[in-house]
Amino acid sequence: MSVKSRHAPMRTAMANRPLGRILVAYAAANVAEWALWVSVLVYSFERGGSDTAGFAAIALLVPAAAIAPFAGRAADGPRPEHVLFTAHLVQAAALLAAALLAASEAPSAAVIVAAAFAITAVTFVRPSISVVVPGLVVAPRDLIAANLILGNVDSVSVLAGPLVASALLSIDGTVSVFAACAVLWALAAALVHIPASRRPSHSDLDHDNIATDRGSRISDVLCALRELSRRRGSVPLLVVLGAQYALIGALDLLVVNLALRELHLGAAGPGLLSASFGVGAVGGGIASTLIVGRRRLAWVMTVALAMIAAALAVLGIWTTLAVALSVLPLAGVSRSLLDVSGRMLLQRCAPPDSVASVFAILEALAGLGILCGSVMVQVLVAGSGVRAAIIGVAIFFVVVGASTARSLRHADQHADAPVVEIRLLRKVELLAPLPGPVLESLARESISIELDAGAVIVREGEVGDRYYVIAAGMADVFVEGVRVRTMSRGQGFGEIALLADVARTATVVATTPISLLALERLRFLESVTGHDASARVAWAVARTWYPPLVSTD
């Protein structure tokens, strides 16, 4: 695929004005989120030292973790765009209040509480985005491009947010950062307004096909955990994935203490150090494409853990600005590789019918890991100082790596790695932009089919239940009896009937003996859209593609 053809779907997606507004709003909100984290910790440190900064980190994390389960349920309601708008509005109001309180020299606890409201509202943003975006696309390629843009925004924000905070802190202090974050979130709120004609109404949803048994969610998660525990090495794998989030929680406090107490960089210092970690995170996200389809991943995780520990150990021993700017990007690269490879390996180990529940467990561990990392640094800094805290976090990752290396190898050896299928699906233009873990999940669920020449694979007017990819051989496509094209290895067909919920729009006939990979409708929709409520996505996209299907109620 050429660079031009790869970027064409992204340009088309951004040309969709409602979708473009959502994507720009998401970028503004993400930059504000990362800038806020840096600025509120700097503010807390300046007002009360390391202890106050530690209290601020906990105050920001605990409410967000407590409210997260309800955020997903709210986003699954009939008006997710209203949830998204309200979340951004709350964020803007909370940060405006924080700016006013900080400017008036109010107690630091009041400022921190206001910031906590903004961070808590963040938990409603990503679930809502995953529901709103599919209802705005015009074609499946636009949906994939939109998801790819969202992923890139996540990576770039880790770098851009701290840089914005660093620049504003050096110019006018924390009040200016709070005010800027309020403006960015107000802009996001203004951008996410979606014209009523583009919104899928509550009556548009295919309720018969949406899993709505919410009461069974907790029991499903517990059953998935029991099943996973029977698979050798899987529980230690979950421990590693949860523990790597401790690095995020630890660094939030470490960079503040390091910049202000050890390196004496001033208010802009924490943003500079956070941005250097963000540079590595972006690079790690790019490098992670190299491990997609590799049969063994445990060694990637073990090396990444070792590199994180080594980077922190070097920084703890030689605590200079030059060393910090050298090793923090290395830690960022390693953490990104650890996260992606670990998620892919977990996907291979998870029971096929419990993948969503297993990843729900991971999300809970992520919040716990961030909180534990923050508390660990707070205790170490209070007891032994900043350098000892850095080395202590390094030792933590040495212990995690040493105690789980053997178990990770066992998990790797017993995991299902559909390498051939992954490499084939990567050739399909519609699927190529998917993240590695999503593509691997799709490959695991594929079904191999062998047919003779002359066999009709799909027939125009029939109900569509699968998406097909040609692994070997050739096939002709006919529309109303007229041959319109010939397809070969690496090309797929059947997505329109699945995404638009309409009858097959063409007949496909094998012209040679042919080998196919078939992807069931539900698995295809879940993987492509990244959202479990596949029926909601299918109806929303169908009503965008086919105006006669739009409800006139």
Side-chain angles (χ1 to χ4, degrees), residues 110-442:
V111 177
I112 293 170
V113 168
F117 272 97
I119 291 297
T120 301
V122 169
T123 61
F124 290 86
V125 173
R126 288 178 179 84
S128 300
I129 283 285
S130 69
V131 180
V132 170
V133 167
L136 298 175
V137 295
V138 174
R141 291 177 66 189
D142 299 343
L143 184 59
I144 303 301
N147 287 333
L148 182 61
I149 293 170
L150 292 172
N152 289 338
V153 167
D154 285 332
S155 297
V156 173
S157 298
V158 180
L159 171 61
L163 284 178
V164 169
S166 180
L168 291 175
L169 285 168
S170 64
I171 296 171
D172 199 27
T174 54
V175 174
S176 64
V177 185
F178 293 157
C181 290
V183 170
L184 285 173
W185 272 317
L187 174 64
L191 287 170
V192 299
H193 171 68
I194 301 170
S197 61
R198 299 301 300 268
R199 296 178 186 146
S201 69
H202 191 62
S203 61
D204 289 341
L205 308 181
D206 185 359
H207 294 286
D208 292 338
N209 293 323
I210 300 176
T212 58
D213 186 11
R214 304 184 189 275
S216 64
R217 287 180 179 177
I218 295 178
S219 61
D220 288 344
V221 169
L222 293 176
C223 289
L225 185 58
R226 284 195 296 269
E227 179 64 25
L228 192 67
S229 65
R230 300 189 185 102
R231 300 183 176 225
R232 195 172 183 185
S234 297
V235 172
L237 172 60
L238 267 179
V239 171
V240 171
L241 282 170
Q244 55 109 1
Y245 280 97
L247 180 63
I248 302 299
L251 279 179
D252 285 335
L253 285 176
L254 281 178
V255 295
V256 173
N257 282 278
L258 183 62
L260 300 180
R261 292 181 61 175
E262 293 293 323
L263 302 179
H264 308 291
L265 298 178
L272 176 65
L273 298 183
S274 294
S276 67
F277 179 81
V279 169
V282 173
I286 297 172
S288 66
T289 59
L290 301 176
I291 65 176
V292 174
R294 293 194 176 274
R295 189 171 296 277
R296 292 288 177 256
L297 293 174
W299 69 271
V300 178
M301 298 185 67
T302 301
V303 170
L305 284 167
M307 295 305 294
I308 291 172
L312 293 175
V314 168
L315 182 59
I317 296 172
W318 294 285
T319 311
T320 67
L321 178 60
V323 171
L325 295 179
S326 299
V327 302
L328 285 176
L330 177 61
V333 169
S334 301
R335 190 263 163 180
S336 290
L337 287 173
L338 177 61
D339 185 55
V340 173
S341 59
R343 286 176 180 268
M344 291 175 65
L345 183 54
L346 181 62
Q347 208 165 51
R348 298 175 184 182
C349 295
D353 57 348
S354 302
V355 174
S357 295
V358 169
F359 276 85
I361 297 170
L362 177 58
E363 291 306 311
L365 289 175
L368 181 61
I370 293 174
L371 184 60
C372 288
S374 179
V375 172
M376 176 171 59
V377 168
Q378 185 177 358
V379 171
L380 290 173
V381 168
S384 306
V386 178
R387 292 190 177 192
I390 298 173
I391 294 175
V393 176
I395 293 172
F396 170 79
F397 280 98
V398 169
V399 172
V400 171
S403 62
T404 60
R406 185 174 181 181
S407 297
L408 292 179
R409 288 197 299 271
H410 288 312
D412 215 358
Q413 291 166 2
H414 294 88
D416 173 27
V419 177
V420 174
E421 291 85 351
I422 289 174
R423 290 175 179 169
L424 175 62
L425 296 182
R426 180 62 80 188
K427 296 178 180 291
V428 182
E429 185 177 8
L430 176 67
L431 305 177
L434 289 173
V438 176
L439 189 69
E440 183 164 321
S441 175
L442 196 58

Side-chain angles (χ1 to χ4, degrees), residues 75-78 80 131 205-206 210 214 531 533-541:
D76 261 339
V131 180
L205 308 181
D206 185 359
I210 300 176
R214 304 184 189 275
H531 188 259
S534 57
R536 184 194 301 274
V537 173
W539 278 98
V541 176

